[in-house]
Amino acid sequence: MEKIIAKKKFGQNFLKDETVLRKIIEAMPNNNNKIVEIGPGLGDLTKYLVDVKSVEAFEVDTDLCKLLQKKFEKEIATKQLHINCGDVLTTWKSELIDESYDLVANLPYYIATNIILKALADSKCKNILVMVQFEVAEKFCAHEGDKVFGSLSIITQSAGEAQLIVKVPPSSFEPQPKIDSAVFLIEKQSDRFDKDFEDMLRVAFTQPRKTLMKNLSAVYEKNILQEVFEKLSLAQTIRPHQVCTNDYHQLYKLTRSLDGTREARKC
């Protein structure tokens, strides 16, 4: 079979470490959900996934699509595997497929965060088990008080619980990336998702070293913020990473409520 060379434009780093591959399979939630794999590459993870469940795969590289269709001819014939050739982000609307699924994948670095956020917002996606850059995994799994705790952490905690499964060195891949990777799991408990809330979080973490009050005052009136902070018993000197997810939701609701009240009075 013709040797496939990784393409930089697709962020291809093929996971070859059998120990890590098995750890991914062991970490999969025990349920009857279908598996969605994005970026199956050479099929090194796919070969394990199809032994466990039926898989819906999405691959953007046409050369790899041809390879996968040959390699998994039997699984495709028995409908254990279906391969979609093309850019998953162009076909992914609010729901990627029309049935409950778990996302299990070694994600290309350049689109990993975007894909995870879309999966968190997708009501059909129930669990997310993925490999990404280590520093990105840390952000999704961080807790209040951690230096890397930010908007990604809060969005994740708003939908479920995240845990780091295993840190993966560059030597586990071909070609080797320059940074460490990690596998992490998000077990979703709700589809809590609000774009306006996300927008508020971006403002809140605009300058992480500044106080939360300072960052939010770029959008909200200071007297409203002072009233909200007092209601939530938040110090005006508190920094964005020191505020818990629930308080961010309360802060969002109260600022919107007070904003609306003031707008109504003006009318």
Side-chain angles (χ1 to χ4, degrees):
M1 188 175 288
E2 185 181 348
K3 181 176 175 61
I4 297 290
I5 298 174
K7 298 181 178 71
K8 286 186 178 181
K9 68 176 180 178
F10 294 136
Q12 293 172 347
N13 297 95
F14 304 126
L15 178 63
K16 308 300 291 185
D17 191 322
E18 293 292 325
T19 300
V20 176
L21 288 164
R22 290 192 180 93
K23 284 185 178 180
I24 293 173
I25 299 302
E26 290 168 3
M28 285 171 55
N30 184 16
N31 56 43
N32 296 318
N33 296 338
K34 190 162 195 163
I35 293 296
V36 164
E37 184 183 13
I38 295 174
L42 299 175
D44 293 289
L45 176 59
T46 315
K47 71 184 178 185
Y48 288 107
L49 294 177
V50 292
D51 279 344
V52 180
K53 293 183 179 182
S54 62
V55 178
E56 192 79 18
F58 293 83
E59 177 56 61
V60 70
D61 187 334
T62 53
D63 291 333
L64 288 179
C65 281
K66 292 174 185 176
L67 180 147
L68 292 167
Q69 286 164 346
K70 289 180 182 178
K71 189 172 185 177
F72 295 98
E73 188 175 359
K74 175 185 172 184
E75 289 80 4
I76 292 171
T78 59
K79 297 185 177 180
Q80 188 69 4
L81 172 66
H82 181 253
I83 299 171
N84 301 273
C85 295
D87 187 349
V88 66
L89 293 176
T90 62
T91 59
W92 199 343
K93 307 305 178 186
S94 59
E95 297 173 349
L96 181 54
I97 61 175
D98 61 1
E99 61 183 292
S100 296
Y101 72 91
D102 292 342
L103 174 60
V104 183
N106 169 27
L107 296 176
Y109 288 166
Y110 75 108
I111 57 169
T113 298
N114 194 2
I115 285 175
I116 296 166
L117 289 174
K118 287 186 76 69
L120 283 169
D122 187 337
S123 62
K124 296 296 185 183
C125 181
K126 304 304 178 183
N127 298 284
I128 301 167
L129 178 63
V130 291
M131 170 108 66
V132 298
Q133 306 102 303
F134 178 68
E135 62 178 22
V136 172
E138 279 191 305
K139 290 177 181 177
F140 277 101
C141 297
H143 292 91
E144 162 201 357
D146 294 342
K147 287 186 178 180
V148 294
F149 183 74
S151 57
L152 294 180
S153 322
I154 294 164
I155 291 168
T156 300
Q157 290 182 6
S158 298
E161 294 183 0
Q163 61 173 307
L164 199 67
I165 302 299
V166 62
K167 189 174 181 179
V168 183
S171 57
S172 295
F173 300 88
E174 179 60 44
Q176 293 188 22
K178 295 179 181 178
I179 55 176
D180 288 328
S181 303
V183 178
F184 75 100
L185 170 67
I186 300 174
E187 295 181 280
K188 288 178 67 179
Q189 296 162 353
S190 72
D191 300 311
R192 194 175 182 180
F193 186 82
D194 187 321
K195 188 180 183 304
D196 289 336
F197 178 64
E198 255 195 58
D199 290 341
M200 186 205 73
L201 291 177
R202 288 192 187 95
V203 175
F205 287 90
T206 302
Q207 299 183 74
R209 294 185 180 181
K210 300 286 186 181
T211 65
L212 179 60
M213 174 72 77
K214 177 72 173 176
N215 287 341
L216 291 178
S217 63
V219 172
Y220 299 98
E221 292 180 17
K222 194 162 186 179
N223 62 325
I224 291 176
L225 290 174
Q226 288 172 337
E227 189 173 338
V228 170
F229 273 50
E230 187 175 344
K231 283 179 179 289
L232 296 176
S233 300
L234 295 176
Q236 292 190 26
T237 55
I238 201 166
R239 302 197 184 279
H241 73 281
Q242 297 175 312
V243 180
C244 70
T245 295
N246 186 59
D247 278 347
Y248 270 108
H249 281 282
Q250 293 303 316
L251 191 151
Y252 172 64
K253 288 177 183 176
L254 286 170
T255 48
R256 283 171 66 92
S257 173
L258 290 172
D259 261 346
T261 301
R262 282 164 172 70
E263 287 299 320
R265 285 174 183 170
K266 289 177 183 177
C267 297

